[in-house]
Amino acid sequence: MSSPFMWYLNRGTGVTVMVLLSLTTVLGILATGRRFTPLWPRFVTQGFHRVLAGVSLALLGVHVVSAVVDEYVDIRWWQALVPVGATYKPVWLGMGTLALDFLAILTVTSVLRDRLPHRVWFVTHLLSYAAWLVAIVHGRGIGTDANRGWMTTTTWACCVAVALATVIRLGAGMRSRRSERTAQAIA
């Protein structure tokens, strides 16, 4: 099945997934902070994070299925799951497949979070940074609009948002540790 609709669906879901995964990553980073105001409690951020992650995964499924179903470019179903052996832009498609595989691992460990030791879940969840970054690289390499101004701006906005959230979170973590040490020294 090859039609302009499938191409637009694949392209549109790819861009949308990039933005939603970036927002999910930002919310995940910010949800780990210890200080929240009564106006925006931690459970709200975590709830948005989980909902956005679910929507992102659903749209990612549409993105993958539309890429495989569209016959204009020859992408086999197994090439969407195995990051090597693709015939169409193998490096860039492999990056997308790797991001998908990382997200599958993250999803499974998140569903099993209550049954896993916290440390296992946390260390595995650090894959989200790699999944996000590899997905960004995939989009830049394989995206048909990757070099258009609007797409470059959108990609940079996503990168800046994740980087800024990371800097804010690291700064908050350092301040929190410093406050704890000061409190222990006084006590």
Side-chain angles (χ1 to χ4, degrees), residues 92-159:
W92 306 122
L93 187 59
M95 295 286 242
T97 302
L98 190 59
L100 176 69
D101 294 344
F102 285 167
L103 290 170
I105 292 167
L106 288 164
T107 302
V108 168
T109 57
S110 292
V111 168
L112 299 174
R113 182 178 182 176
D114 293 338
R115 295 187 174 127
L116 295 172
H118 177 74
R119 187 88 177 139
V120 170
W121 172 85
F122 177 76
V123 169
T124 305
H125 221 67
L126 291 175
L127 269 179
S128 60
Y129 288 103
W132 174 81
L133 182 60
V134 171
I136 292 288
V137 171
H138 160 75
R140 290 296 301 162
I142 206 168
T144 55
D145 292 324
N147 293 322
R148 294 189 184 246
W150 67 270
M151 190 61 207
T152 300
T153 302
T154 303
T155 303
W156 275 108
C158 290
C159 292

Side-chain angles (χ1 to χ4, degrees), residues 14-61:
V15 174
T16 305
V17 167
M18 178 187 68
V19 171
L20 290 179
L21 280 179
S22 297
L23 289 172
T24 302
T25 303
V26 166
L27 287 173
I29 292 167
L30 297 178
T32 60
R34 295 183 180 159
R35 296 182 186 194
F36 287 87
T37 69
L39 299 174
W40 193 265
R42 184 178 184 170
F43 74 88
V44 172
T45 306
Q46 290 174 336
F48 280 150
H49 170 71
R50 289 181 184 126
V51 167
L52 274 178
V55 171
S56 298
L57 291 173
L59 284 174
L60 179 59

